[in-house]
Amino acid sequence: MSELLLSVTTGEMTSFMEAAADVLEVAVEAGATALGGVAGGLRRPYLWLRRGAVRLIFERRYGVRTSDVVSLEEFGLANDERVYYSAANWQTLRRTLPREDVGENDVFVDLGSGMGRMVLEAAWRYPFRKVIGVELSAQLSEIARQNVAGTRLRLRCKDVELVQSDVLDYEIPEDVTVVFLNNPFRGETFAAVMRKLIATVDRNPRRVTVIYFNPTEDEFLTSTGRFRHLRTVTRGRKSPQDGPFGSIRIYTITERAGA
């Protein structure tokens, strides 16, 4: 048995873990669907089980901690426009960003990166030239640094930068091509950051993809006339009562009118 285990390469183990996660998700979602018409109240425990199983597979295997739900009040950073930290699902990028769409000159930034889960997924799965995480909380940013330094994942992107900063003070690099947000801030804070992002595109015209998980500010993006909605990805059975939560909307930034 030990010889067999030693013969399994890192790539094969990664593929196995991903396949196992998918099997668990499909099996549990099927169970939730089957029970939906008979005992809908059991659906949430099933979904909790699914998320827990996937978290266990990835976090235990790769030696990271990204799963906590944290209120910014704990750090003295509470604000009506700031949202608590809750990591997006593992494999969110896999479902929204085809690997062939990322080249060696692309740069990824997660605005509100928390403990670094999407930073890790971006650096592990894709050949980005650079991966950046921007996080307001010094404590969460430090956990992210520990995750990146100690992970057993083989990161394809070797240039990973973790920035502890208020997004309102952060200057978005003009070579960023993929932006990820997990509903980290709302209202005028969100609007100000998106205007800064648009300004970088006006100064340095390029294709920018925005992946927005739990897109509570979709109406603002649409109102700018600069964000073109490409598609929406949902997981499992999403009810109208869920609103934007549980969905991921993908946009691209269009050129300025008359440019």
Side-chain angles (χ1 to χ4, degrees), residues 163-180:
V163 180
Q164 191 266 306
S165 173
D166 188 320
V167 288
L168 294 175
D169 299 326
Y170 179 68
E171 294 300 323
I172 300 172
E174 297 191 3
D175 55 355
V176 161
T177 54
V178 179
V179 178
F180 180 84

Side-chain angles (χ1 to χ4, degrees), residues 169-259:
D169 299 326
Y170 179 68
E171 294 300 323
I172 300 172
E174 297 191 3
D175 55 355
V176 161
T177 54
V178 179
V179 178
F180 180 84
L181 304 109
N182 179 17
N183 186 29
F185 34 80
R186 302 172 182 168
E188 185 53 38
T189 299
F190 183 90
V193 174
M194 291 301 100
R195 292 188 189 106
K196 290 170 66 172
L197 176 60
I198 291 171
T200 73
V201 175
D202 291 342
R203 291 191 296 269
N204 179 31
R206 65 198 187 280
R207 179 181 175 85
V208 175
T209 299
V210 177
I211 302 171
Y212 190 7
F213 190 32
N214 298 321
T216 59
E217 295 290 340
D218 172 73
E219 186 175 345
F220 168 79
L221 294 182
T222 302
S223 72
T224 67
R226 298 295 301 275
F227 288 83
R228 181 164 62 90
H229 174 233
L230 300 178
R231 63 189 183 280
T232 298
V233 176
T234 59
R235 301 188 63 177
R237 296 191 308 156
K238 185 177 180 298
S239 69
Q241 290 76 20
D242 293 332
F245 298 99
S247 65
I248 311 164
R249 292 177 74 87
I250 299 95
Y251 309 82
T252 189
I253 301 178
T254 62
E255 290 186 8
R256 181 174 48 192

Side-chain angles (χ1 to χ4, degrees), residues 11-248:
E12 289 168 338
M13 182 61 75
T14 298
S15 297
F16 170 77
M17 290 297 177
E18 290 181 0
D22 286 342
V23 168
L24 280 167
E25 289 194 63
V26 170
V28 175
E29 185 61 42
T33 301
L35 286 169
V38 179
L42 293 177
R43 179 171 177 266
R44 289 192 182 279
Y46 262 93
L47 297 179
W48 177 86
L49 174 61
R50 181 187 68 185
R51 289 192 293 269
V54 173
R55 179 187 64 193
L56 181 65
I57 286 175
F58 280 89
E59 304 225 338
R60 293 286 180 83
R61 173 68 181 90
Y62 295 119
V64 297
R65 169 199 168 196
T66 64
S67 298
D68 297 350
V69 176
V70 181
S71 169
L72 294 181
E73 291 181 359
E74 296 182 27
F75 309 127
L77 299 173
N79 182 292
D80 288 343
E81 295 186 343
R82 310 281 181 172
V83 181
Y84 60 84
Y85 165 74
S86 178
N89 302 309
W90 280 110
Q91 304 191 69
T92 290
L93 294 182
R94 172 184 165 185
R95 291 179 170 87
T96 56
L97 183 64
R99 188 175 292 169
E100 59 270 20
D101 287 357
V102 176
E104 60 184 11
N105 292 319
D106 283 302
V107 176
F108 174 94
V109 64
D110 180 355
L111 298 176
S113 53
M115 298 181 185
R117 181 180 290 185
M118 288 301 103
V119 167
L120 285 166
E121 186 170 352
W124 163 45
R125 186 177 293 280
Y126 298 91
F128 283 109
R129 176 168 59 81
K130 186 171 186 175
V131 170
I132 307 167
V134 182
E135 171 54 45
L136 175 64
S137 164
Q139 292 91 329
L140 294 180
S141 189
E142 178 56 30
I143 293 172
R145 287 191 177 87
Q146 293 173 12
N147 283 331
V148 170
T151 183
R152 291 188 288 274
L153 285 165
R154 286 194 173 183
L155 303 183
R156 295 188 180 198
C157 176
K158 304 304 181 184
D159 189 357
V160 177
E161 180 182 7
L162 295 166
V163 180
Q164 191 266 306
S165 173
D166 188 320
V167 288
L168 294 175
D169 299 326
Y170 179 68
E171 294 300 323
I172 300 172
E174 297 191 3
D175 55 355
V176 161
T177 54
V178 179
V179 178
F180 180 84
L181 304 109
N182 179 17
N183 186 29
F185 34 80
R186 302 172 182 168
E188 185 53 38
T189 299
F190 183 90
V193 174
M194 291 301 100
R195 292 188 189 106
K196 290 170 66 172
L197 176 60
I198 291 171
T200 73
V201 175
D202 291 342
R203 291 191 296 269
N204 179 31
R206 65 198 187 280
R207 179 181 175 85
V208 175
T209 299
V210 177
I211 302 171
Y212 190 7
F213 190 32
N214 298 321
T216 59
E217 295 290 340
D218 172 73
E219 186 175 345
F220 168 79
L221 294 182
T222 302
S223 72
T224 67
R226 298 295 301 275
F227 288 83
R228 181 164 62 90
H229 174 233
L230 300 178
R231 63 189 183 280
T232 298
V233 176
T234 59
R235 301 188 63 177
R237 296 191 308 156
K238 185 177 180 298
S239 69
Q241 290 76 20
D242 293 332
F245 298 99
S247 65
I248 311 164

